[in-house]
Amino acid sequence: MKTKALAKQYCHDFIPYIWYGLVVSVVYILFGLLSADGAPSIGYQLKASFFMAPYIITVVTMIGISFNYRRFKLAMQSGVSRKTFWKAKMLFIAKATLIVNVVNVIISFINMKLGPSETYLYYQAYGKAFSNVFAQSISMFITDYVVLLFIFVAMNTFGTMTSLMNKIGKSIFYSIGVVCYMFFTNLLTQYSSQRLISRFYSHINGDAIFNFIFSIDAKVPRPYPLIGFMIILTIIAALFNLLFTKLEQVKR
């Protein structure tokens, strides 16, 4: 089973999640319209809820990206090496990201026709990056793609890591995760913790780091540093993915 053939099969399993995301988005929009209370008009409520559709699709498809153990078992039974399987995963994720990004960008353009472009995160940060509409659209597409690519590779890496565990291990892992989440969210509400975080942020010169990554202080913010930073993070996540893919699974 070659890399491209395996990636194609993997992508075939993933496509339904695009439809799931679209269905969930439609349900969310309809629920927003039906539950509107005191809104000026249906059109206004539609604009208020429609902008969430790309993010909903991303979350649903991200869940689909994280499931890969069944496909891994099939690949191993077919004599595919772990490195070949990893290459197929990365190729699949690149294709899946492209599909999701195209869908999201189309929906985002519709959203911008319904309301102001500032409702879209890219335009909030880099709306003045280019005066040419075509260049701005290409920049938006590339920026969205590399950000989505990192998120999907990281999510698949997380799924690959948890697939190393048996059911008991997963239960313990997720329980620890929930406890840590509750602990840190509670910690952030404490004034002493907020002061400590603020001091640490100042100590590492957090403003300069964020300004460098997101070009916040630039006269005309452009997404080039963000694109480069996301590519580096994606490479790191992909290498961890390879490491976890090569590890032997715990007896299930």
Side-chain angles (χ1 to χ4, degrees), residues 37-221:
D37 185 18
S41 66
I42 293 179
Y44 174 86
Q45 193 62 29
L46 180 64
K47 293 176 184 178
S49 59
F50 192 81
F51 83 98
M52 283 296 295
Y55 307 109
I56 294 173
I57 293 172
T58 298
V59 171
V60 174
T61 51
M62 188 170 60
I63 295 172
I65 288 284
S66 66
F67 297 138
N68 56 181
Y69 186 71
R70 185 179 66 82
R71 181 60 62 189
F72 170 79
K73 284 181 62 178
L74 178 61
M76 295 302 103
Q77 291 169 0
S78 303
V80 177
S81 70
R82 291 171 181 263
K83 189 171 184 179
T84 300
F85 178 72
W86 172 77
K87 289 179 181 178
K89 281 200 301 182
M90 294 300 105
L91 181 59
F92 150 69
I93 292 174
K95 291 180 178 179
T97 304
L98 180 62
I99 295 170
V100 175
N101 196 36
V102 168
V103 174
N104 283 352
V105 167
I106 291 172
I107 294 175
S108 297
F109 276 127
I110 296 173
N111 177 47
M112 285 185 280
K113 291 293 183 182
L114 292 174
S117 60
E118 286 72 19
T119 57
Y120 188 45
L121 288 179
Y122 174 87
Y123 277 91
Q124 290 181 17
Y126 307 111
K128 298 180 180 178
F130 303 95
S131 57
N132 183 282
V133 175
F134 180 76
Q136 187 74 292
S137 300
I138 295 297
S139 173
M140 178 183 71
F141 186 87
I142 294 173
T143 304
D144 281 6
Y145 181 81
V146 294
V147 172
L148 271 180
L149 183 64
F150 165 68
I151 293 173
F152 283 179
V153 171
M155 195 64 185
N156 186 268
T157 302
F158 178 79
T160 303
M161 180 185 69
T162 55
S163 71
L164 296 171
M165 309 172 190
N166 54 27
K167 291 182 179 180
I168 297 175
K170 287 180 181 178
S171 300
I172 295 173
F173 177 80
Y174 287 125
S175 298
I176 292 173
V178 171
V179 171
C180 289
Y181 173 78
M182 294 174 64
F183 173 76
F184 282 112
T185 51
N186 181 63
L187 196 66
L188 291 174
T189 62
Q190 306 298 321
Y191 178 70
S192 57
S193 301
Q194 293 173 359
R195 286 188 62 190
L196 184 64
I197 294 172
S198 179
R199 287 179 181 177
F200 176 75
Y201 182 81
S202 300
H203 181 70
I204 64 172
N205 203 357
D207 284 338
I209 295 174
F210 279 100
N211 288 340
F212 174 75
I213 295 173
F214 297 102
S215 303
I216 297 173
D217 273 354
K219 187 175 181 181
V220 181

Side-chain angles (χ1 to χ4, degrees), residues 1-12 80 84-85 87-89 91-92 95:
M1 194 179 297
K2 296 181 179 179
T3 301
K4 290 184 178 180
L6 183 59
K8 186 176 180 180
Q9 290 182 10
Y10 213 158
C11 201
H12 182 268
V80 177
T84 300
F85 178 72
K87 289 179 181 178
K89 281 200 301 182
L91 181 59
F92 150 69
K95 291 180 178 179

Side-chain angles (χ1 to χ4, degrees), residues 14-26 57 60-61 103:
F14 169 76
I15 292 298
Y17 285 92
I18 299 287
W19 295 108
Y20 300 156
L22 288 170
V23 170
V24 173
S25 300
V26 170
I57 293 172
V60 174
T61 51
V103 174

